Amino acid sequence: MCGIIGIVTGHPVVTGLISSLKLLEYRGYDSAGIATMQDGQVWRERAAGKLANLEKKIKDDGVSEGGIGIGHTRWATHGAPTEGNAHPHIVDNVIIVHNGIIENYAELRDELIKNGANIQSQTDTEVIGHLISNQLKIDSNIETAVQTAVGRLTGAFALAIMIKGEENLLIGARKGCPLVVGIGDVEGHYIGSDALALSPFSRQIIYLEEGDFVFATRQNFRVFDQAGTLVTRDVNHVEVQSATMDKGNHKHFMAKEFFEQPDVVQKTLSHYLDMKSNQVTLDSKLDISKFERIVMVSCGTAYLAACVAKYWLEENVNMSVEVDVASEFRYRKPALNEKCLFVVISQSGETADSLAALRMAKNKGCTTLAIVNVPTSTMAREADIILPTFAGIEVCVASTKAFMCQISVLAALSIGLGVQIGRLSHADATSMAKQLAQLPRLINDCFAVEKDIVKLAHEIANVEHVLFLGRNTSYPIAMEGALKLKEITYIHAEGYAAGELKHGPIALVDENMPLIIIAPDNEVYEKTRSNIEEIAARGGDITVLTTQKRAKEIQKLGLKAIALPDCSSFLAPFIYTVPVQLLAYHTAVHMGTDVDQPRNLAKSVTVE
Ligand code: M6R
């Protein structure tokens, strides 16, 4: 989602602003801009589209450097992604960039217009600029004026603000969206959407809390909480390597990231599995005997990880498991209490709906557990228990390695809780842990199917619709395959439970409908095989992802099959994820779409 950078150093800031914006690109954006101040003058440049457009404008128009500046990558919410709606916005003396959504923006806008304001853009951000500007006319104390004006906003926001004539003052505020402060390695201060954005300048990071304001100069900074009290926040030493933003030998981050899967799964599993004794170790605060049910909530691919885990937890822990998407869950009235273990799963740890669901569960007395990839994220800080994933920075908007690490943690969790509750014997647990330990090798072996997948991808690139089918844990993997394909190729795809097809979607099947059927050789294979026959009878264009032995049988029927390494039923979701990731990737590459930053999407979805 939008990315924010602010710099106050007294030295030229334009190069720094642009390099930070480049580090924020992965979050997803559709326009960008910067503003600097020097000698009483404000200089601003904005452009629709990629950062390259902004850089070109800066070059063409001639840079006017300053010792203070703010920059922004915008993911449009209110108003089209045009130059006029791009940030920074300037209202009188106020220069502002914003991430988030102001919910009461329409009423504030009406009020401002009634009072004679000349609103130039369609954004909610400009409204904040007017509020601050108006408040500064009646309160010359910048700190209180900004706090009063921002106090009128409802919704979620992170802000970076400069005031014309105040060339040694950078202001930040956050509520609902993350914002960090960096203490410069040399003199100066920085504010940014995440520690990565500040990595070229600072390792000393302060994570602002909900409702915080920061007023930073070159020499020092002051943080106020939402009550307006001066507070001290911890300074964290953070080693974020901007070098990890390198694609290595790969053409795209997505390829780099899915080829990293054997390593990051190994790294994640080794945090939970003792590879010698094959024992699972979980956080000692986690005591399953306190709970009657498990509720798992997340969004997108992380939601599909929860859907996989439902099968494992129900089987291994014998407890009722409810799974929901956060955007629905948070507006339902679910029965939650202290007997409920609430699990949130998130790569970023900042997804607005998942975070709201976590807070709701906490308020209702649930014990909250977060499976997150960013250990410094808001969810990691707010949950009672954290089970980290170790995927490393995931840059591509389409999640691959983070998903694999999420299901790794969830598999280990189901074993650990199964033993705790007495449903799994130590022998069962040891056998399952041994299976998990094979994953890095097996995932690596899966890449052998790449040639076959490239062939299939070239066919898929020509179609408009694809159906993915699966049963049991292959059902969420079918949905994940469809999500990946939609996301980066813009081809319409759906993931269905194979047995559900005849209750409606089979009407879509003809020779022009490609169906990718995920059919590991497990306890439901024969059921899926019957579904394959039903579809074949109706002329569907079938490709079955299955084992070598089953692939041969399928090919004898005159259907396409791609053989994956043999694996246990427990490991199937890991193994069958690889071909669907590869399929989306190679289809996108063949079609020439923007693999790493697909249109309209953001990496970290900090608005609801
Ligand atoms: O950061 P999160 O894991 O909370 O993000 C959740 C979804 O936005 C994310 O998984 C999204 O669906 C991906 N782009 C899918 O590839």
Side-chain angles (χ1 to χ4, degrees), residues 299-302 345-349 351 397-399 406 483-484 487 603 605:
C299 299
T301 284
I345 306 167
S346 175
Q347 187 285 126
S348 61
T351 302
V397 165
S399 184
Q406 286 161 354
L483 178 61
K484 285 288 96 83
E487 225 179 344
K603 182 70 187 160
V605 183

Side-chain angles (χ1 to χ4, degrees), residues 384-605:
D384 300 315
I385 300 167
I386 309 160
L387 298 186
T389 53
F390 295 88
I393 293 175
E394 191 179 60
V395 175
C396 179
V397 165
S399 184
T400 54
K401 61 176 182 169
F403 173 77
M404 242 3 158
C405 290
Q406 286 161 354
I407 58 174
S408 301
V409 173
L410 289 159
L413 179 70
S414 78
I415 301 174
L417 296 183
V419 172
Q420 256 189 32
I421 211 159
R423 170 87 166 176
L424 292 181
S425 68
H426 278 280
D428 296 333
T430 302
S431 145
M432 294 171 86
K434 275 188 180 160
Q435 293 176 45
L436 289 180
Q438 297 169 20
L439 271 175
R441 175 182 56 78
L442 282 172
I443 295 172
N444 203 38
D445 291 351
C446 290
F447 293 116
V449 298
E450 194 170 12
K451 237 166 104 193
D452 294 334
I453 295 285
V454 170
K455 205 167 145 228
L456 177 62
H458 290 190
E459 292 169 24
I460 296 290
N462 296 316
V463 305
E464 286 179 7
H465 311 277
V466 181
L467 283 177
F468 287 78
L469 304 179
R471 281 174 179 262
N472 197 276
T473 51
S474 300
Y475 169 35
I477 302 305
M479 292 195 275
E480 172 63 1
L483 178 61
K484 285 288 96 83
L485 192 72
K486 283 191 261 229
E487 225 179 344
I488 62 170
T489 69
Y490 321 141
I491 293 172
H492 172 229
E494 297 300 334
Y496 250 93
E500 188 63 14
L501 199 71
K502 55 187 155 308
H503 298 286
I506 202 164
L508 296 169
V509 171
D510 63 14
E511 61 284 2
N512 299 317
M513 173 59 82
L515 295 107
I516 314 293
I517 304 174
I518 300 168
D521 197 355
N522 57 14
E523 55 283 6
V524 289
Y525 176 78
E526 290 303 340
K527 305 283 170 202
T528 311
R529 168 75 190 253
S530 305
N531 300 134
I532 294 170
E533 307 268 4
E534 288 156 12
I535 300 160
R538 286 157 182 87
D541 175 12
I542 296 170
T543 303
V544 184
L545 305 178
T546 185
T547 59
Q548 194 120 40
K549 177 176 153 226
R550 297 300 189 183
K552 282 193 183 130
E553 292 169 10
I554 298 286
Q555 282 157 350
K556 279 192 192 140
L557 298 175
L559 303 173
K560 288 177 276 184
I562 294 178
L564 275 301
D566 285 349
C567 67
S568 64
S569 194
F570 183 39
L571 298 191
F574 297 90
I575 303 311
Y576 287 79
T577 294
V578 176
V580 299
Q581 292 173 341
L582 286 171
L583 180 62
Y585 175 72
H586 285 293
T587 310
V589 169
H590 192 66
M591 292 172 75
T593 53
D594 189 342
V595 172
D596 288 331
Q597 289 170 19
R599 69 182 183 204
N600 303 338
L601 292 177
K603 182 70 187 160
S604 176
V605 183

Side-chain angles (χ1 to χ4, degrees), residues 17-220:
L17 290 174
I18 296 293
S19 57
S20 265
L21 290 182
K22 285 187 176 156
L23 292 171
L24 289 165
E25 268 193 299
Y26 79 98
R27 297 164 71 94
Y29 71 106
D30 31 42
S31 61
I34 62 169
T36 63
M37 289 198 298
Q38 192 166 37
D39 303 330
Q41 293 299 312
V42 177
W43 179 83
R44 171 179 69 173
E45 199 73 86
R46 299 179 293 174
K50 295 286 178 193
L51 270 182
N53 301 350
L54 178 68
E55 286 186 278
K56 182 168 183 316
K57 285 191 78 185
I58 292 171
K59 204 166 154 220
D60 292 350
D61 295 350
V63 182
S64 181
E65 283 283 2
I68 179 169
I70 55 179
H72 191 255
T73 46
R74 172 175 188 250
W75 187 83
T77 58
H78 294 62
T82 58
E83 183 179 326
N85 286 330
H87 302 202
H89 288 278
I90 302 180
V91 180
D92 303 326
N93 290 343
V94 180
I95 306 118
I96 184 166
V97 297
H98 162 221
N99 171 17
I101 290 181
I102 305 305
E103 286 169 4
N104 58 341
Y105 123 95
E107 67 191 68
L108 292 170
R109 193 172 200 269
D110 289 350
E111 175 193 307
L112 288 164
I113 291 171
K114 232 201 265 145
N115 293 329
N118 174 14
I119 307 242
Q120 311 253 319
S121 72
Q122 297 152 304
T123 65
D124 48 352
T125 309
E126 192 188 341
V127 164
I128 313 172
H130 280 276
L131 291 178
I132 298 173
S133 164
N134 289 348
Q135 194 62 31
L136 283 169
K137 287 178 191 141
I138 49 177
D139 180 358
S140 58
N141 179 322
I142 294 176
E143 289 182 354
T144 53
V146 170
Q147 290 176 64
T148 307
V150 171
R152 295 199 59 199
L153 308 175
T154 57
F157 53 82
L159 307 170
I161 305 160
M162 299 189 296
I163 308 291
K164 199 171 166 192
E166 299 290 337
E167 290 173 20
N168 191 18
L169 178 64
L170 178 64
I171 305 167
R174 78 152 282 199
K175 194 177 161 205
C177 297
L179 196 68
V180 304
V181 179
I183 301 168
D185 295 338
V186 286
E187 188 184 67
H189 288 98
Y190 303 82
I191 56 183
S193 296
D194 57 31
L196 181 65
L198 305 191
S199 58
F201 327 107
S202 171
R203 302 278 178 277
Q204 305 292 107
I205 300 290
I206 293 129
Y207 295 94
L208 292 179
E209 294 187 7
E210 278 296 272
D212 277 357
F213 290 82
V214 61
F215 297 86
T217 65
R218 292 191 290 277
Q219 299 78 11
N220 53 47

